[in-house]
Amino acid sequence: MYDQPRPNLAAPAMTFDHMLERVRYEGAYPTRERAEAAVRTVLAALGRQLTGDERVDLAQCLPVEAALTLTAQIPDTQHLTGWGFVKDLAARTGVSPAVARWDTGAVLAVVARLAGPDLLARILHRLPDGYALLFGQAELRQPQVRASAA
């Protein structure tokens, strides 16, 4: 059987205010402003890593303000692993890697729900290793076959 495009069964549309409240809850942030800062920095960083149809499709799933933050970024030529993503975010924002990892997890958990399982699978397929955990998903790897010594 051949692959056919499937409709993206994403969560119902969410306003930016509702998204901020979800991120505030996920990250246990004390204020809405702190949640908004996390959303903007993490989505900007993701916008530097994600390209192609997945970038466009994700932008369509997000509230307008979040989509503009994602798509305003020019994609980097260097693709970072998940841990590289967190370290880069920490360096750009001046926070510790632990705080950057926390912010990333809080924001991307909400983004994953908005994207839905099909689009999220496509996004994770496009990105290097290490992003599944950032989106709150298990990272399954294919076993590598070792060449036997002859």
Side-chain angles (χ1 to χ4, degrees):
M1 186 163 211
Y2 58 92
D3 289 333
Q4 290 183 348
R6 294 182 288 174
N8 186 28
L9 303 175
M14 183 182 284
T15 67
F16 189 61
D17 287 334
H18 188 229
M19 181 182 188
L20 293 180
E21 285 305 314
R22 292 299 315 153
V23 170
R24 184 176 176 192
Y25 176 79
E26 289 287 333
Y29 296 117
T31 64
R32 182 183 182 279
E33 290 75 22
R34 178 65 184 92
E36 184 172 356
V39 166
R40 292 194 186 280
T41 58
V42 171
L43 287 179
L46 185 61
R48 290 189 291 275
Q49 294 300 308
L50 192 58
T51 60
D53 290 340
E54 290 75 19
R55 176 183 170 111
V56 173
D57 292 346
L58 179 59
Q60 290 176 342
C61 295
L62 298 174
V64 173
E65 298 89 337
L68 290 173
T69 300
L70 177 81
T71 58
Q73 304 304 309
I74 298 171
D76 284 341
T77 55
Q78 177 187 10
H79 296 286
L80 302 172
T81 63
W83 178 236
F85 178 88
V86 170
K87 290 191 308 186
D88 181 64
L89 185 62
R92 288 176 185 262
T93 57
V95 300
S96 71
V99 171
R101 173 60 181 94
W102 184 269
D103 290 349
T104 300
V107 173
L108 294 185
V110 175
V111 169
R113 284 194 293 277
L114 288 170
D118 291 340
L119 177 55
L120 182 58
R122 289 177 34 221
I123 289 169
L124 292 176
H125 183 71
R126 178 168 290 277
L127 293 170
D129 289 343
Y131 281 87
L133 293 174
L134 299 178
F135 280 95
Q137 305 293 306
E139 179 135 14
L140 303 175
R141 294 184 179 192
Q142 296 295 327
Q144 295 180 351
V145 178
R146 294 184 184 193
S148 60

